């Protein structure tokens, strides 16, 4: 399970970087840039949730 979580973190980071390259910074809320920004936010949420999961598993192992 630990390796699977790290693989998911790597995939979310790769998607985050990919979507950041697709954003048109001169007009970020038009066309495909809007989809890229939504995808960036989704990747950030996934990363935060995975980090919370790893911390909660570490706390559970200490008990």
């Amino acid at each position: 399970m630990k390796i699977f979580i790290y693989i998911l973190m790597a995939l979310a980071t790769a998607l985050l970087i990919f979507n950041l390259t697709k954003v048109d910074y001169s007009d970020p809320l038009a066309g495909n840039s809007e989809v890229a920004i939504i995808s960036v936010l989704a990747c950030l949420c996934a990363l935060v949730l995975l980090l919370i999961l790893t911390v909660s598993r570490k706390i559970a192992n200490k008990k």
Side-chain angles (χ1 to χ4, degrees):
M1 184 72 173
K2 183 178 177 181
I3 296 172
F4 183 65
I5 292 171
Y6 288 135
I7 290 171
L8 287 177
M9 283 183 182
L11 287 173
T13 305
L15 281 173
L16 176 73
I17 293 169
F18 175 74
N19 285 317
L20 283 174
T21 62
K22 297 296 180 183
V23 175
D24 181 20
Y25 293 105
S26 63
D27 192 14
L29 295 178
N32 289 335
S33 293
E34 184 178 4
V35 175
I37 289 177
I38 292 169
S39 300
V40 165
L41 292 175
C43 289
L44 288 174
C45 289
L47 281 172
V48 168
L49 288 173
L50 288 168
L51 289 172
I52 290 171
L53 179 63
T54 56
V55 170
S56 68
R57 288 178 54 92
K58 286 181 184 178
I59 291 171
N61 287 337
K62 286 188 179 183
K63 277 191 166 183

